Amino acid sequence: MKVVTLKSPGGLDQLQVVEREAPGEPGPGEILVRVHASSLNFHDYGVVSGKMPTEDGRIPMSDGAGVVEAVGEGVEAFAVGDAVVSTFFPYWLDGPARVGDFKTTPGDGVDGYAREQVIRPATWFTHAPKGYSHEEAATLTTAGLTAWRALVVDGHLKAGDTILTLGTGGVSIFALQFAKAMGARVISTSSSDEKIERLKQLGADHTLNYKAEPEWGKKVKALTDGQGVDHVIEVGGPGTLPQSIDAVRIGGHISLIGVLTGRGGEVPTAKLMAKQARLQGLIVGSRIHQQEMVRGIEASGVRPIIDSTFKLEEIADAFRHEEAGRHFGKICLSF
């Protein structure tokens, strides 16, 4: 079978496609999955670029979707032929957050899904949404579940709420889609007028070009009759957080998800305190969160926005496309 490995110290030119023996038959509690798709995330780019060092020879990619080809003894949740999708934290099955690093995350601390077959415990997967392609399902593990947890699990989103999304990455677009499906109002930002038009097509109620409106926090507040938004999907980090605090309502919720503008910086603590807003960091979610999201997707009909698809052998080109930043939605690998 084909497998992609990453040579230390990382870098896109250190990705290699190699041939390995098939993994064999699953043991008790395990399933054999024929992987058909993965999707690229900022975290995966951090690993393959060498910015987040991992072991020599690591198989990258956190997201994996495919079909069950065999089940081990005692497995009742899955049958041969089931479409499945991987989980980001394989050992966080339910309950409150209990993982604060990536030591157990496929494609980082352990081998991931840039390969044609894999044997793993059945609990490392959930069913994929009915009617989804493998590429669509592969977008859910990281980006989809992050947006779902931010809005639904942590934010307790309800119809009539107003949310603010930043940019057009996978998490932000999923947040826009989930929010609209649940009857919320959405304000979205981008630096590209072309991408702003696409955000409008997806249902964004208001859009802002943050380059043309550097004080976009105040503009968002004006768009909400001076109240501010209920939820902010904060993917920028220190460079955008002050504006997000301006934009959120008193007692609102900011989901701190990304570090696109850096890993540290000043926080306007007095303003945050005065807003009495909840600033909550999060990393993806649990297996039960993913199962709940799949049920929500099947009920609402939300479909992921896929920008482009590359072959497994084209993985380096796929990451170069992500690196260029011109994509809208998810970039997938299909194999």
Side-chain angles (χ1 to χ4, degrees):
M1 66 170 183
K2 289 178 184 174
V3 174
V4 174
T5 61
L6 178 69
K7 280 185 67 177
S8 225
L12 300 186
D13 57 346
Q14 298 299 313
L15 289 164
Q16 298 178 321
V17 181
V18 299
E19 287 286 338
R20 287 194 182 167
E21 288 188 13
E25 293 298 316
E30 295 179 332
I31 57 176
L32 168 64
V33 175
R34 170 68 165 86
V35 185
H36 284 289
S38 185
S39 82
L40 278 61
N41 299 286
F42 186 71
H43 177 254
D44 298 305
Y45 177 73
V47 174
V48 299
S49 66
K51 293 175 182 175
M52 299 173 68
T54 188
E55 287 184 21
D56 184 51
R58 173 68 71 230
I59 300 172
M61 307 309 291
S62 298
D63 302 357
V67 175
V68 177
E69 290 192 322
V71 297
E73 182 185 346
V75 174
E76 297 180 355
F78 300 106
V80 173
D82 283 352
V84 294
V85 58
S86 65
T87 57
F88 190 86
F89 289 124
Y91 301 103
W92 181 18
L93 303 184
D94 54 25
R98 49 175 63 106
V99 189
D101 55 42
F102 303 111
K103 292 176 183 175
T104 60
T105 297
D108 190 339
V110 298
D111 282 335
Y113 297 103
R115 53 174 137 183
E116 292 184 311
Q117 284 183 310
V118 65
I119 290 175
R120 285 289 181 256
T123 51
W124 285 42
F125 288 84
T126 71
H127 288 280
K130 293 181 180 66
Y132 261 37
S133 69
H134 297 305
E135 291 77 21
E136 287 175 320
T139 68
L140 299 177
T141 297
T142 304
L145 189 55
T146 299
W148 176 269
R149 180 183 165 197
L151 290 177
V152 179
V153 180
D154 295 346
H156 310 294
L157 178 72
K158 61 186 184 300
D161 282 357
T162 302
I163 77 158
L164 171 65
T165 66
L166 308 185
T168 56
V171 173
S172 297
I173 290 177
F174 265 119
L176 164 59
Q177 293 178 289
F178 286 146
K180 293 305 297 182
M182 297 177 72
R185 184 179 174 219
V186 180
I187 302 171
S188 297
T189 73
S190 174
S191 62
S192 162
D193 289 337
E194 182 184 345
K195 289 181 177 180
I196 280 174
E197 287 306 310
R198 297 196 63 183
L199 290 168
K200 290 177 182 176
Q201 291 168 13
L202 287 176
D205 298 275
H206 295 283
T207 54
L208 292 168
N209 187 314
Y210 61 79
K211 283 191 175 174
E213 290 270 4
E215 297 288 310
W216 47 265
K218 292 176 182 175
K219 183 69 174 177
V220 168
K221 199 171 175 185
L223 288 170
T224 54
D225 299 323
Q227 297 299 305
V229 298
D230 299 287
H231 311 275
V232 181
I233 302 300
E234 172 51 78
V235 296
T240 53
L241 186 56
Q243 291 298 317
S244 291
I245 293 171
D246 274 345
V248 76
R249 69 165 170 82
I250 294 171
H253 175 236
I254 301 173
S255 294
L256 187 59
I257 294 164
V259 289
L260 297 177
T261 63
R263 294 178 175 273
E266 289 189 15
V267 176
T269 50
K271 189 180 290 184
L272 180 62
M273 183 175 65
K275 281 287 181 85
Q276 300 171 69
R278 180 160 54 106
L279 176 63
Q280 182 168 0
L282 72 147
I283 308 173
V284 197
S286 69
R287 184 173 189 259
I288 193 70
H289 294 155
Q290 184 160 310
Q291 291 171 316
E292 291 167 350
M293 174 185 66
V294 169
R295 288 200 299 272
I297 285 170
E298 290 177 340
S300 66
V302 166
R303 309 293 293 232
I305 303 300
I306 295 177
D307 173 88
S308 50
T309 303
F310 292 78
K311 297 176 182 177
L312 182 62
E313 302 92 317
E314 299 170 331
I315 184 170
D317 290 334
F319 276 109
R320 289 186 188 102
H321 183 55
E322 182 185 40
E323 203 173 43
R326 291 188 295 271
H327 59 289
F328 185 93
K330 296 293 291 177
I331 302 166
C332 291
L333 299 175
S334 180
F335 44 101

